[in-house]
């Protein structure tokens, strides 16, 4: 027989109908709710239309205040707005109601957009879009609306445009649902076609349509199936303003989504080179004066109300087009880190040295140009046509050659740091950053088009490559070196400069003119960026036993620029070390890359030897290995014997194998960003073993 638990006999039973005890209310919050929130909500449901309108306008303004917005949502604001306000019989109340939804979507995160979508907001949204379209397509009705409430109709239009844009940016499902609405893109194009629509409303409409085309491929199919829509966009691209630039961006997105063939009417009418030429000329006009003024442009066409936004969008579209050219196959190889491939074992056993084949290719590729041939080449470079490197025939200029010949110098004029110009405001800084980003994409596309330049390659002979080398040296002098000398504290800018420098050096090789100390500056930039990563790891509780995994996890809170900058600096150093006849430079860079690997945490260290204050992050270690694999891939390179062999690089690499393996194991491949990093780390471990095996066999032959 069990014992009686005497303590449970006196235990009080919970009241099944009693609610949870109320949370303590902040006196300030309670006062705010009683003085502003509840009275405004009460007036929003008032029988008097003017009271409802006044309350809706007041609530739309209160939403910008965080505490007020939370209290409004807590007191069922959404239910009242969705059920009553946006369907009110009074026009002013309806306009204010959509203004409330617009402000909420702007202030809240993407979860609010999902909530609106699940509340079936698209149904009333479709109705109001159709109502505006009906007014725009009926001149008499539009005249009536404008005469009675001129500003209300455009305020309503602005609100729904902003709301559509916010919903589109929420997720793919919502963007596709918006693309399927029958009033999209009729609503946007009708606004653009009506002369009485204010310019700011037209700009908002086409930017909204552009955002939809960015997020949903369904819109492209709809647009291409209606020739009238294409024709209207085709007319708009001729406008030298924000609307024209946005129309170019929309057509570019459409071309990417439908993948037209060369024979399609769309490709013939809106080819990449046509869009590029329009955008390049628009940016050229801005670069001439650095700033635009409202009124009339240099070509006599009216300018837009926001010229800075137009230039930025043009630069962003050019950057996107440069990337798409590479993705569509015009670039023949990928431009990531180098990868070492071990020769076949049969070749090593049979004693067939690949050096003879390499020397044969070098002799085959070397060709001394006569004076007449040099003059002909320069004439082609300065003209609009380029030759096919295979047979010397002149080919029609394509998008790739246009980017190199025409677009690149225009963008290069915008990459002089704003501090050295007469205008140093936020708009100039934004334009400067966008120009650098566009040039960065172009440079990586060009490096993929010509392939990574190695010490075995002869000087560039393709006219397009020669033109690119000229522009690359200008960019290096005017954009890269000033930032390196300024010791900028802007991580995003430093990361962008490092990426651009990497692509420039990769695509030009020994033809890139150096001042002589660039490698030292990139080493300093690497150390500075690594110190920021070290600040993140120093907060780890057990610092003595911290492995690289803690370093990775702690840096996840840093911006992407801070995480990627060390690896980019090593990428630049690796390409600079590939220059032939530069043994001292190669020795400094090779030694530095080995030091990076030696700074990995050493799990086998049982002595009291101190660990590095700032361990090398996994991404940087992987990049250092990749660069070493490429720099010393062949004993035929003139620096291999005096550097790699004489300085004992093989032994140093062999000694860090354990640290590299520990680094790979420490990366948690189950998490999003580090999943790919773990794959690269495992591949680096395998490549290191193969590389050491190959270099040992190679040394035995020498």
């Amino acid at each position: 027989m069990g014992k009686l638990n005497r303590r449970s006999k006196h235990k009080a039973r919970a009241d099944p109908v009693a609610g949870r005890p109320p949370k303590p209310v902040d006196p300030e919050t309670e006062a705010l709710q009683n003085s502003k929130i509840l009275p405004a909500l009460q007036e929003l449901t008032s029988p008097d239309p003017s009271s409802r309108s006044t309350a809706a306008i007041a609530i739309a303004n209160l939403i910008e205040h965080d505490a007020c917005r939370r209290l409004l949502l807590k007191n069922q604001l959404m239910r009242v707005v969705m059920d009553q306000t946006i369907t009110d019989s009074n026009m002013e109340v309806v306009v204010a109601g959509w203004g409330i939804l617009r402000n909420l979507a702007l202030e809240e995160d993407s979860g609010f957009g999902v909530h609106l979508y699940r509340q079936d907001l698209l149904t009333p949204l479709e109705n109001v879009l159709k109502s505006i379209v009906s007014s725009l397509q009926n001149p008499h009705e539009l005249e009536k609306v404008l005469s009675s409430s001129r500003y209300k109709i455009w305020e309503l239009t602005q609100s729904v445009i902003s709301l559509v844009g916010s919903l589109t940016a929420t997720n793919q499902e919502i963007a596709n649902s918006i693309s399927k609405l029958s009033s999209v893109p009729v609503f946007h194009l009708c606004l653009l076609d009506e002369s009485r629509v204010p310019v700011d409303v037209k700009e908002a409409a086409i930017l909204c349509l552009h955002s939809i085309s960015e997020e949903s491929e369904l819109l492209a199919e709809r647009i291409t199936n209606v020739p009238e829509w294409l024709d209207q966009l085709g007319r708009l691209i001729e406008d030298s303003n924000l609307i024209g630039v946005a129309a170019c961006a929309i057509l570019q997105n459409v071309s990417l989504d439908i993948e037209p063939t060369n024979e399609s009417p769309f490709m013939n009418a809106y080819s990449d080179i046509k869009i590029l030429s329009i955008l390049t000329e628009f940016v050229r006009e801005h670069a001439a004066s650095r700033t635009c003024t409202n009124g009339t442009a240099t070509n006599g066409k009216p300018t837009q109300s926001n010229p800075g936004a137009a230039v930025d969008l043009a630069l962003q579209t050019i950057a996107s087009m440069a990337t798409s050219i590479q993705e569509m196959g015009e670039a023949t190889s990928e431009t990531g880190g180098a990868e070492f491939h071990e020769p076949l074992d049969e070749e090593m056993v049979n004693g067939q040295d690949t050096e003879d084949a390499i020397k044969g290719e070098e002799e085959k590729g070397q060709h001394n140009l006569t004076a007449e041939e040099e003059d002909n080449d320069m004439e082609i470079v300065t003209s609009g046509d380029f030759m096919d490197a295979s047979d010397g025939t002149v080919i029609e200029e394509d998008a790739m050659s246009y980017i190199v010949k025409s677009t690149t110098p225009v963008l290069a004029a915008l990459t002089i740091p704003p501090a050295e110009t007469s205008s140093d405001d936020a708009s100039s800084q934004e334009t400067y950053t966008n120009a650098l980003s566009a040039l960065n994409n172009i440079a990586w596309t060009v490096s993929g088009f010509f392939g990574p330049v190695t010490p075995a390659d002869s000087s560039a002979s393709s006219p397009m490559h020669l033109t690119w080398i000229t522009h690359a040296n200008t960019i290096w002098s005017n954009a890269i070196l000033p930032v390196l000398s300024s010791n900028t504290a802007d991580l995003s800018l430093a990361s962008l400069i490092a990426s651009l420098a990497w692509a420039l050096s990769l695509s030009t090789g020994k033809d890139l003119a150096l001042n002589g100390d660039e490698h030292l500056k990139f080493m300093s930039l690497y150390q500075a960026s690594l110190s920021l990563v070290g600040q993140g790891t120093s907060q780890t509780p057990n610092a003595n036993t911290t492995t690289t995994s803690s370093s990775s996890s702690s840096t996840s809170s840093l911006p992407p620029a801070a995480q990627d900058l060390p690896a980019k600096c090593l990428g630049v150093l690796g390409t600079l070390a590939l220059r032939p006849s530069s043994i001292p430079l190669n020795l400094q860079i090779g030694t530095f890359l080995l030091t990076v690997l030696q700074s990995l945490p050493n799990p086998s260290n049982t002595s009291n030897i101190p660990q590095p204050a700032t361990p090398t992050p996994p991404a940087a270690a992987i990049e250092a290995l990749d660069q070493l694999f490429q720099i010393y891939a062949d004993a035929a390179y003139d620096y291999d014997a005096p550097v790699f062999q004489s300085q004992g690089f093989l032994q140093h690499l062999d000694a860090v194998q354990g640290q590299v393996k520990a680094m790979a194991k420490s990366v948690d491949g189950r998490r999003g960003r580090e999943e790919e990093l773990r794959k690269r780390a495992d591949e680096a471990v395998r490549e290191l073993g193969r590389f050491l095996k190959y270099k040992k066999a190679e040394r035995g032959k020498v």
Side-chain angles (χ1 to χ4, degrees):
M1 183 175 180
K3 295 183 179 179
L4 176 65
N5 188 346
R6 298 183 181 276
R7 286 180 296 180
S8 64
K9 186 169 64 174
H10 303 287
K11 186 176 181 180
R13 295 183 59 189
D15 186 354
V17 297
R20 293 183 179 180
K23 294 182 179 179
V25 179
D26 179 24
E28 184 178 351
T29 301
E30 185 176 10
L32 180 63
Q33 177 167 281
N34 294 331
S35 63
K36 292 185 177 181
I37 304 303
L38 294 181
L41 290 173
Q42 185 176 2
E43 288 294 308
L44 190 60
T45 57
S46 170
D48 181 22
S50 61
S51 298
R52 296 198 301 272
S53 175
T54 303
I57 295 173
I59 290 174
N61 294 328
L62 287 173
I63 287 172
E64 298 178 2
H65 190 278
D66 290 343
C68 292
R69 186 173 66 255
R70 287 193 296 268
L71 289 173
L72 286 167
L73 293 174
K74 181 180 179 181
N75 285 275
Q76 305 300 314
L77 170 65
M78 285 301 302
R79 180 181 60 80
V80 176
V81 172
M82 293 287 290
D83 294 345
Q84 302 178 35
T85 309
I86 61 175
T87 58
D88 199 279
S89 58
N90 185 278
M91 179 66 173
E92 293 186 357
V93 177
V94 172
V95 172
W98 286 103
I100 291 173
L101 294 178
R102 173 202 61 200
N103 290 352
L104 285 172
L106 291 174
E107 296 293 339
E108 291 290 316
D109 57 17
S110 59
F112 183 76
V114 175
H115 172 73
L116 291 177
Y117 179 68
R118 291 174 178 172
Q119 295 297 314
D120 194 28
L121 179 67
L122 294 190
T123 297
L125 184 61
E126 173 86 70
N127 292 334
V128 74
L129 292 178
K130 289 180 177 179
S131 174
I132 297 174
V133 169
S134 176
S135 299
L136 292 171
Q137 293 178 337
N138 189 330
H140 298 291
E141 184 177 349
L142 180 60
E143 189 65 34
K144 180 181 178 181
V145 172
L146 292 177
S147 62
S148 61
S149 55
R150 174 183 297 271
Y151 299 105
K152 290 300 179 183
I153 181 64
W154 303 136
E155 183 181 345
L156 174 62
T157 303
Q158 286 273 37
S159 293
V160 295
I161 288 174
S162 176
L163 189 55
V164 169
S166 298
L167 291 173
T168 300
T170 301
N171 60 40
Q172 190 72 48
E173 179 186 357
I174 297 178
N176 289 336
S177 298
I178 291 175
S179 298
K180 296 176 182 178
L181 295 178
S182 60
S183 53
V184 175
V186 178
F187 165 75
H188 305 81
L189 296 178
C190 283
L191 288 170
L192 294 167
D193 204 34
E194 174 55 54
S195 59
R196 286 172 288 186
V197 176
V199 175
D200 59 336
V201 177
K202 288 186 175 184
E203 291 177 347
I206 198 163
L207 290 176
C208 177
L209 189 61
H210 171 252
S211 67
I212 299 174
S213 69
E214 285 271 310
E215 300 296 334
S216 175
E217 297 180 0
L218 300 178
L219 182 64
E221 184 178 353
R222 294 191 60 198
I223 289 178
T224 53
N225 288 335
V226 182
E228 292 80 4
W229 296 349
L230 274 178
D231 292 342
Q232 184 176 353
L233 289 171
R235 293 192 301 270
L236 291 174
I237 65 176
E238 303 297 335
D239 295 341
S240 183
N241 52 30
L242 178 58
I243 294 175
V245 172
C248 288
I250 292 171
L251 290 175
Q252 167 61 15
N253 290 335
V254 170
S255 69
L256 293 177
D257 292 337
I258 65 173
E259 298 182 359
T261 62
N262 291 331
E263 294 77 18
S264 69
F266 181 91
M267 177 60 76
N268 294 331
Y270 311 110
S271 61
D272 282 348
I273 193 169
K274 180 174 183 178
I275 301 298
L276 272 173
S277 62
I278 293 174
L279 296 175
T280 300
E281 287 305 313
F282 181 85
V283 175
R284 189 195 305 275
E285 291 181 9
H286 176 269
S289 61
R290 191 71 184 183
T291 57
C292 292
T293 57
N294 295 334
T296 304
T298 56
N299 60 1
K301 296 181 180 180
T303 62
Q304 68 284 357
S305 61
N306 192 352
V311 174
D312 291 336
L313 180 58
L315 293 171
Q316 292 164 9
T317 305
I318 291 173
S320 175
M321 295 184 73
T323 302
S324 67
I325 289 173
Q326 183 180 15
E327 292 174 349
M328 287 187 296
E330 292 188 37
T332 57
S333 63
E334 295 182 357
T335 56
E339 182 176 355
F340 168 77
H341 296 282
E342 184 183 17
L344 296 175
D345 292 340
E346 290 79 6
E347 294 179 351
M348 302 175 80
V349 173
N350 297 333
Q352 297 177 355
D353 197 341
T354 58
E355 295 179 9
D356 295 336
I358 293 175
K359 291 178 181 178
E361 291 296 327
E362 290 180 8
E363 295 172 358
K364 187 177 180 180
Q366 291 175 350
H367 175 60
N368 295 324
L369 298 177
T370 64
E372 182 180 358
E373 289 173 330
E374 289 181 357
D375 292 339
N376 292 336
D377 272 353
M378 289 309 300
E379 182 179 354
I380 295 171
V381 169
T382 56
S383 67
D385 298 322
F386 290 122
M387 284 188 177
D388 188 330
S390 59
D391 58 7
T393 58
V394 178
I395 60 176
E396 182 181 358
E397 187 179 47
D398 58 3
M400 184 67 199
S401 61
Y402 186 89
I403 280 184
V404 171
K405 179 179 71 71
S406 301
T407 306
T408 298
V410 172
L411 301 186
L414 292 174
T415 57
I416 300 175
E420 300 180 13
T421 66
S422 58
S423 177
D424 191 19
D425 55 10
S427 177
S428 294
Q429 182 65 38
E430 186 73 16
T431 300
Y432 167 69
T433 303
N434 283 320
L436 282 176
S437 298
L439 277 178
N440 179 59
N441 287 11
I442 291 173
W444 279 108
T445 298
V446 171
S447 67
F449 187 84
F450 294 113
V453 178
T454 67
D457 295 332
S458 58
S459 296
S461 59
S462 164
M464 185 165 68
H465 198 186
L466 289 171
T467 302
W468 170 253
I469 289 172
T470 301
H471 295 326
N473 278 287
T474 301
I475 297 168
W476 187 270
S477 299
N478 295 341
I480 304 298
L481 295 183
V483 176
L484 287 179
S485 301
S486 67
N487 296 321
T488 179
D490 187 341
L491 278 176
S492 298
L493 175 60
S495 180
L496 185 54
I497 287 294
S499 179
L500 177 57
W502 188 0
L504 291 175
S505 59
L506 193 66
S507 60
T508 56
K510 61 184 179 182
D511 294 312
L512 182 65
L514 300 179
N515 281 0
D517 62 344
E518 287 91 340
H519 64 292
L520 299 177
K521 292 179 179 178
F522 277 106
M523 290 177 185
S524 299
L525 183 58
Y526 170 84
Q527 296 292 356
S529 63
L530 205 61
S531 65
L532 180 61
V533 178
Q535 292 174 12
T537 57
S538 64
Q539 299 174 2
T540 307
N542 192 358
N544 294 329
T545 58
T546 297
T547 62
T548 314
S549 61
S550 63
S551 175
S552 318
S553 60
S554 63
T555 59
S556 61
S557 59
L558 298 174
Q563 301 179 48
D564 299 337
L565 181 54
K568 291 178 181 178
C569 291
L570 298 180
V572 178
L573 291 171
T575 54
L576 294 179
L578 286 169
R579 302 167 69 88
S581 304
S582 302
I583 294 176
L585 173 65
N586 185 280
L587 176 59
Q588 290 184 63
I589 295 176
T591 303
F592 183 81
L593 294 175
L594 282 176
T595 304
V596 169
L597 295 176
Q598 291 168 346
S599 297
L600 285 167
N602 191 350
S604 61
N605 182 19
T606 56
S607 61
N608 293 327
I609 299 177
Q611 293 285 335
T614 306
T616 299
I622 295 169
E623 193 57 54
L625 285 170
D626 286 344
Q627 295 304 323
L628 287 169
F629 297 157
Q630 179 165 320
I631 296 169
Y632 305 107
D634 200 314
Y637 297 159
D638 61 357
Y639 51 70
D640 191 89
V643 176
F644 189 88
Q645 298 178 28
S646 299
Q647 300 299 322
F649 277 25
L650 183 64
Q651 291 78 9
H652 290 301
L653 280 175
D654 198 5
V656 298
Q657 279 196 93
Q659 293 166 265
V660 172
K661 291 178 181 178
M663 175 272 297
K665 292 180 180 179
S666 68
V667 179
D668 186 0
R670 296 170 296 179
R671 294 184 293 182
R673 180 179 172 88
E674 294 193 354
E675 182 178 359
E676 180 63 26
L677 186 64
R678 177 57 187 265
K679 293 179 181 178
R680 293 185 59 210
D682 291 339
E683 180 64 20
V685 172
R686 292 190 294 268
E687 292 293 318
L688 177 58
R690 297 170 64 192
F691 180 77
L692 292 173
K693 177 182 177 182
Y694 167 65
K695 295 301 286 186
K696 290 175 182 177
E698 187 182 56
R699 185 175 60 176
K701 298 178 184 180
V702 177

